[in-house]
Amino acid sequence: FEGTEDELSFVSTVSPGRQPGLTAWQLKPAKEKQGIEIRVVSAFASDPSENLKKTDPITAFEGYKAFFEYLYFDEQFKTDTKWLDEWSAKKLQGLPNAVRLRLEKDTGRVDESLEIIAVIEANDHQSFRRIKP
């Protein structure tokens, strides 16, 4: 799981409409038009990054610019909660508590913006202690 403000890559065992097994996902801004390019490949024993680059993307949310944010919640003290512009599971030894996708039209009108929040229930690995960002 690696995420920045404008790109998100992750591997999942829960992938709607896909075969059982690990699936790698990449979401990033579309090159030629606004929207999000989505690439999906089966994730085998090796790093799927190269296979994602070779896969033809589909474009979703055309006409919108996308921004990703990642929710940090301090489980131990229950006081520190914040949305971060980036998340690295390698560095932080865990997943964010949620991912927020903000979709904004070029018009700048708030009523044309969308927000999607996906809660990640399995955000901590039991044998690791998450590092505070």
Side-chain angles (χ1 to χ4, degrees), residues 72-82 97 124 129-133:
Y72 170 76
F73 176 70
D74 188 327
E75 296 286 343
Q76 184 176 3
F77 298 107
K78 309 225 186 291
T79 57
D80 194 9
T81 302
K82 56 188 163 192
N97 292 84
D124 252 341
R129 170 170 262 152
R130 183 183 305 166
I131 299 169
K132 186 173 182 177

Side-chain angles (χ1 to χ4, degrees), residues 97-125:
N97 292 84
V99 175
R100 177 166 55 190
L101 170 58
R102 278 189 356 261
L103 298 161
E104 297 179 0
K105 280 228 177 202
D106 251 348
T107 62
R109 293 179 47 182
V110 177
D111 62 336
E112 292 183 329
S113 296
L114 302 170
E115 184 176 87
I116 301 168
I117 297 177
V119 175
I120 300 175
E121 295 291 336
N123 66 310
D124 252 341
H125 189 284

Side-chain angles (χ1 to χ4, degrees), residues 51-109:
N51 290 337
L52 282 167
K53 291 177 188 174
K54 297 175 191 173
T55 303
D56 290 330
I58 60 166
T59 302
F61 302 111
E62 290 183 24
Y64 288 90
K65 184 161 174 50
F67 302 92
F68 296 97
E69 293 177 297
Y70 311 92
L71 182 64
Y72 170 76
F73 176 70
D74 188 327
E75 296 286 343
Q76 184 176 3
F77 298 107
K78 309 225 186 291
T79 57
D80 194 9
T81 302
K82 56 188 163 192
W83 287 101
L84 305 173
D85 290 337
E86 60 183 48
W87 191 279
S88 172
K90 289 177 188 175
K91 292 178 187 172
L92 298 172
Q93 296 296 304
L95 299 173
N97 292 84
V99 175
R100 177 166 55 190
L101 170 58
R102 278 189 356 261
L103 298 161
E104 297 179 0
K105 280 228 177 202
D106 251 348
T107 62
R109 293 179 47 182

